[in-house]
Amino acid sequence: MSDALLDEFRKVVGAAGLVTDPQRTATYLSDWRGLFTGSALAVLRPASTHDVARVMEICTRANVAVVPQGGNTGLAAGATPVGLSRAIVLSLERMHGIRSLDAAGFTIAVDAGCVLAEVQRAAHDAQRLFPLSLAAEGSAQIGGLIATNAGGTAVLRYGSMRALVLGLEAVLPDGRILDGMRSLRKDNAGYDWKQLFIGSEGTLGVITGAVLRLFPRPRARATALVALACLDDAVALFGMVQEALGETLSACELFSERALALQCAHQPGLERPLAAHPWYLLIEAGSSLPGLREALESALATAMEHETIADAVLAETSTQRDALWRWREAITESERREGPSAKHDVSVAISDIPAFVSEASDAVEAAFPGTRVLAFGHLGDGNIHFNVLLAPGGNTASAQITAVVHHIVARFRGSITAEHGIGRYRRDDLVAHRSQVELALMRAIKSAVDPDGAMNPGALI
Ligand code: FAD
Ligand code: 2HG
Ligand code: ZN
């Protein structure tokens, strides 16, 4: 990059906001899984929305592409500048303030670089709940979570990120600031442009702030880990606990014995919670009204009588609750330690989960000897992480495995990504799994908002 351009950037973001030292830029240039590595002229770390706007103006003028980056925990490599000759990474990490919290109105306004755990903490300190929860919450930022429309483990009750955003602030590629930091629950004044940015994966502009919904903090939680003989029983149990617990049910998370065994191998110190069974469901409900635990216990007792479940353990304390959750939340990290895998973040109708998993597992393990299916996820949302651990030296089969899995997903009229997004990892698959009309509409939106194609080239579309 020319010194003059560097100077221009430095004038805006200051010395602390401009990173060019290769040792420091390296962490911004690879994705969380280490599958993609790219290059950039520099990493820019602006400290305010106005600085983001000025950076964008310079980039437009100098024909420099912009790759926004949050906590870099994305699983679709959307924040990695791959194959771009003139690009910067724009990191929001210095914009991490809580702008305001309205406890009476149940809203919080934050900078986009705020880490999710910080938002949860601020809400908690104000006797409120910000419900979005996922294993990367110590690093993932609100801007990244909005840009990917993240899901996580409480979608069943509270919805994914889209359901939690009331207002948004974003900077357009040409540097204009869109100020929609409104806390309104109802607002029908024209097109709701913020919805375009939710799930846009950095391809339309830079999200710089958001107003988020808060909820009452449930005073009690009931958490159980249940062992099951088959997936049909898991779906049946989901129906039973939904009926018994109603809207208090917040999580219904699935994992297999293979996932549990993987944890035992890679997370020393975890004590096996139940004897081995093919499948497990982690069920949680929360409420401030009495009788929650009794309702869960009674639902599980009925399920036991009907032989829908094989075994169960209920958390007695918050430490036990955390220990049960660890079995679910550490799977991704254990999978990474185990070695390379082909990840599939699919959704199908909840009642189709047993047939989908059975058919896809049989197809993959028969066609690719030595592979091991690791299926887990958010059963209550119909979202299965149908990951396939590759056979040693089998990296080359990854794309073929994905083709087999996605073909079956299409037959079930499912989606090839329920929550992680398209990014660079699934870009070619999107074209095969959305109609010409849908793709044309997406391209029209992209070129209306980003006519020069400067925002995150190579991601999504
Ligand atoms: P990044 O990875 O930095 O970026 C992701 C995308 O958003 C990129 O395309 C980037 O360009 C864009 N972007 C980032 N910030 C901005 C911004 N301010 N403006 C515009 N575009 C921006 N995801 C789930 O949905 N559910 C889960 O349960 C879940 N669990 C996870 C568990 C682990 C252990 C890990 C590592 C990841 C998990 N993820 C999960 C994926 C990941 O945490 C989410 O996709 C998250 O939303 C990414 O946030 P981030 O700040 O790290 O974004
Ligand atoms: C989860 O549900 C995350 O734990 C990560 O979405 C899934 O590792 C994965 O594929
Ligand atoms: Zn998930």
Side-chain angles (χ1 to χ4, degrees):
M1 175 165 28
S2 76
D3 287 350
L5 192 53
L6 266 188
D7 282 346
E8 259 197 284
F9 282 138
R10 195 178 292 106
K11 270 191 203 129
V12 176
V13 298
L18 181 71
V19 187
T20 50
D21 169 9
Q23 276 195 331
R24 284 184 64 207
T25 54
T27 53
Y28 300 87
L29 300 178
S30 291
D31 71 314
W32 189 84
R33 298 177 67 197
L35 285 184
F36 292 77
T37 299
S39 61
L41 303 173
V43 175
L44 266 66
R45 304 162 64 240
S48 71
T49 302
H50 278 279
D51 290 354
V52 173
R54 289 169 66 199
V55 167
M56 299 301 284
E57 275 166 25
I58 298 172
C59 288
T60 299
R61 206 179 345 104
N63 200 20
V64 172
V66 176
V67 178
Q69 190 172 98
N72 202 13
T73 68
L75 295 175
T80 314
V82 181
L84 305 174
S85 56
R86 271 173 80 74
I88 58 150
V89 170
L90 195 145
S91 165
L92 278 288
E93 65 195 348
R94 282 171 80 208
M95 292 174 56
H96 52 74
I98 306 267
R99 297 190 190 176
S100 62
L101 189 151
D102 176 1
F106 287 81
T107 61
I108 186 169
V110 300
D111 287 340
C114 229
V115 167
L116 173 55
E118 291 296 328
V119 178
Q120 293 168 339
R121 200 166 302 131
H124 186 272
D125 291 347
Q127 308 302 319
R128 297 290 178 258
L129 173 77
F130 183 63
L132 196 85
S133 177
L134 41 85
E137 64 199 22
S139 308
Q141 298 176 4
I142 293 304
L145 294 155
I146 294 175
T148 57
N149 185 25
T153 53
V155 170
L156 183 55
R157 178 166 178 185
Y158 298 100
S160 50
M161 198 58 180
R162 189 180 297 282
L164 304 174
V165 178
L166 290 176
L168 204 71
E169 180 189 84
V171 177
L172 290 172
D174 61 10
R176 282 177 299 159
I177 297 171
L178 272 166
D179 180 0
M181 289 291 279
R182 291 179 278 263
S183 313
L184 307 176
R185 311 261 159 181
K186 298 182 80 176
D187 179 6
N188 271 353
Y191 296 138
D192 189 359
W193 58 261
K194 70 174 178 297
Q195 301 299 344
L196 286 180
F197 285 80
I198 304 172
S200 62
E201 301 187 54
T203 61
L204 298 181
V206 183
I207 296 162
T208 50
V211 182
L212 307 170
R213 288 177 74 187
L214 299 178
F215 293 81
R217 209 171 78 193
R219 278 195 285 273
R221 285 182 201 276
T223 311
L225 183 67
V226 179
L228 301 132
C230 64
L231 280 176
D232 285 320
D233 287 347
V235 172
L237 181 65
F238 175 56
M240 292 169 89
V241 289
Q242 261 195 312
E243 274 179 33
L245 298 165
E247 66 287 346
T248 66
L249 186 65
S250 56
C252 190
E253 295 287 310
L254 175 79
F255 55 93
S256 60
E257 172 57 25
R258 179 167 286 153
L260 199 145
L262 203 67
Q263 310 272 57
C264 294
H266 292 290
Q267 310 280 344
L270 282 184
E271 236 174 78
R272 178 179 259 286
L274 290 166
H277 289 85
W279 295 98
Y280 305 92
L281 271 189
L282 184 56
I283 294 168
E284 186 162 280
S287 174
S288 297
L289 301 175
L292 187 67
R293 188 188 162 87
E294 293 72 17
L296 178 57
E297 259 172 348
S298 144
L300 295 182
T302 309
M304 194 82 92
E305 273 166 33
H306 288 91
E307 298 184 357
T308 307
I309 67 179
D311 203 355
V313 56
L314 263 94
E316 301 289 342
T317 61
S318 61
T319 314
Q320 283 178 7
R321 169 183 180 258
D322 292 348
L324 291 184
W325 268 106
R326 186 109 192 100
W327 287 103
R328 168 64 184 87
E329 294 207 312
I331 298 174
T332 300
E333 180 56 44
S334 303
E335 181 189 312
R336 183 164 74 161
R337 291 183 194 173
E338 180 74 2
S341 58
K343 274 189 186 291
H344 308 100
D345 166 40
V346 314
S347 56
V348 294
I350 294 170
S351 46
D352 282 339
I353 289 175
F356 166 75
V357 171
S358 155
E359 212 175 297
S361 303
D362 289 351
V364 166
E365 292 184 348
F368 305 95
T371 56
R372 290 166 294 156
V373 168
L374 183 72
F376 62 97
H378 318 283
L379 179 125
D381 312 326
N383 176 193
I384 300 297
H385 300 302
F386 190 86
N387 298 346
V388 180
L389 303 169
L390 301 180
N395 270 354
T396 47
S398 187
Q400 293 148 37
I401 294 172
T402 294
V404 169
V405 174
H406 286 175
H407 180 71
I408 298 173
V409 170
R411 274 209 293 100
F412 280 89
R413 290 194 65 79
S415 172
I416 59 162
T417 175
E419 58 174 12
H420 297 160
I422 295 294
R424 290 177 173 77
Y425 190 55
R426 301 189 176 88
R427 193 192 52 202
D428 298 339
D429 298 325
L430 178 71
V431 180
H433 290 270
R434 283 293 187 255
S435 67
Q436 288 307 316
V437 181
E438 288 169 296
L439 291 168
L441 186 61
M442 288 189 212
R443 290 193 183 108
I445 291 168
K446 167 78 175 166
S447 59
V449 184
D450 178 24
D452 299 332
M455 292 306 306
N456 211 359
L460 207 166
I461 193 141

